[in-house]
């Protein structure tokens, strides 16, 4: 079964671009398009797509509010934020509204396709371009001291080193080059961290790094 996708963006060129990306993937099916938030909410209720790709800046309501309404009406539908905004407040508000992923428009088409497939597997996806902003915003809040973990850390020094680089948005290949180790070794450490911490994806790893105070602005 193809993953059924609905696009909401008030710019026709953006919708056309996303449409072309989806049409090139045999497991993705475009079932609807909207240029306004209210229209996206109503189409989601009627069509019940698997995934809604949602912009933030819309003419009638914000994509954040539209996402909140979609999640209330059709909670099983995943929502991916696709926006130009990379600032922490936008990211956090979108996620609080119930978004399952946040991708910036300057990312590669493959990143959006990967996010669609990932959210269908129950994963949360945060674009590396915005991860740093979220981390910096969190650790800089009053009362939060970097280096003061909230819980004991079972990770080895090497695993903590890799965790910091993951939180900073580096890929496995980039981490391998930075630490002069193989990409396979990075993946092994990453898998070990997930097992030790009982978590399932990169976004949760970033949150853990924040709680541990391992990331500095």
């Amino acid at each position: 079964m193809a993953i059924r996708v609905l696009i909401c963006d008030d710019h026709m060129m953006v919708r056309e671009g996303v449409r072309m990306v989806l049409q090139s993937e045999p497991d993705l099916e475009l079932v609807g398009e909207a240029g306004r938030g209210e229209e996206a909410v109503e189409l989601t209720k009627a069509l019940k797509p698997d995934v809604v790709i949602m912009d933030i800046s819309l003419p009638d309501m914000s994509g954040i509010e539209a996402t909140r309404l979609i999640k209330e009406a059709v909670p099983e539908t995943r929502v991916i934020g696709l926006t130009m905004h990379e600032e922490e407040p936008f990211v956090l508000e979108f996620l609080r509204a119930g978004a399952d992923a946040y991708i910036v428009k300057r990312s590669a088409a493959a990143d959006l396709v990967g996010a669609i497939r990932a959210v269908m597997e129950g994963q949360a996806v945060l674009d590396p371009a915005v991860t740093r902003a979220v981390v910096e915003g969190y650790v800089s809040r009053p009362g939060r001291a970097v280096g003061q973990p909230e819980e004991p850390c079972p990770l080895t020094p090497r695993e903590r080193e890799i965790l910091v680089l993951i939180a900073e948005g580096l890929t496995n290949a980039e981490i391998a080059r930075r630490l002069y180790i193989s990409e396979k070794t990075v993946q092994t450490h990453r898998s070990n961290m997930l097992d030790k911490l009982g978590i399932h994806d990169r976004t949760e790893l970033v949150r853990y790094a924040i709680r541990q105070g391992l990331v500095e602005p």
Side-chain angles (χ1 to χ4, degrees):
M1 295 291 291
I3 300 172
R4 303 171 68 251
V5 182
L6 185 146
I7 308 167
C8 180
D9 196 294
D10 61 329
H11 291 95
M12 178 65 74
M13 289 182 64
V14 173
R15 296 204 304 271
E16 289 178 349
V18 174
R19 187 190 311 138
M20 291 177 62
V21 170
L22 298 180
Q23 290 173 343
S24 68
E25 301 295 330
D27 62 330
L28 305 181
E29 176 188 2
L30 178 63
V31 297
E33 297 183 29
R36 302 170 67 88
E38 184 177 357
E39 183 184 9
V41 175
E42 294 306 314
L43 281 175
T44 301
K45 291 178 182 178
L47 300 174
K48 293 182 171 51
D50 298 307
V51 176
V52 174
I53 299 173
M54 178 72 69
D55 189 17
I56 284 184
S57 301
L58 299 170
D60 57 338
M61 68 172 71
S62 75
I64 294 170
E65 179 60 23
T67 295
R68 186 175 294 111
L69 294 174
I70 285 172
K71 283 295 189 176
E72 289 174 357
V74 193
E76 64 271 21
T77 291
R78 278 75 164 183
V79 178
I80 296 176
L82 180 64
T83 174
M84 65 194 310
H85 299 287
E86 301 183 21
E87 298 83 2
E88 179 216 6
F90 290 106
V91 183
L92 295 182
E93 284 304 310
F94 224 132
L95 296 178
R96 290 189 186 111
D100 301 274
Y102 195 102
I103 303 295
V104 298
K105 287 183 176 178
R106 63 183 177 86
S107 298
D111 294 329
L112 177 60
V113 171
I116 293 171
R117 292 171 179 151
V119 297
M120 287 304 298
E121 295 176 356
Q123 300 180 37
V125 180
L126 189 61
D127 195 308
V130 301
T131 300
R132 188 66 175 172
V134 174
V135 170
E136 289 178 356
Y138 185 96
V139 301
S140 64
R141 291 191 180 102
R144 176 62 179 163
V146 174
Q148 293 184 359
E150 296 181 356
E151 57 194 84
C153 180
L155 304 181
T156 66
R158 176 60 100 183
E159 288 168 346
R160 289 198 296 271
E161 186 177 20
I162 292 173
L163 176 58
V164 169
L165 297 177
I166 291 173
E168 291 180 349
L170 275 67
T171 65
N172 286 351
E174 290 170 335
I175 293 171
R177 288 194 295 270
R178 177 79 64 87
L179 300 180
Y180 300 100
I181 57 179
S182 71
E183 191 171 345
K184 183 176 180 180
T185 298
V186 175
Q187 184 58 53
T188 298
H189 282 302
R190 188 170 184 153
S191 297
N192 289 341
M193 283 189 280
L194 292 173
D195 290 341
K196 285 182 180 181
L197 301 175
I199 56 182
H200 307 289
D201 57 45
R202 176 181 170 278
T203 303
E204 291 184 70
L205 278 176
V206 172
R207 291 172 181 159
Y208 180 81
I210 292 171
R211 291 200 306 270
Q212 285 292 317
L214 295 175
V215 182
E216 297 182 8

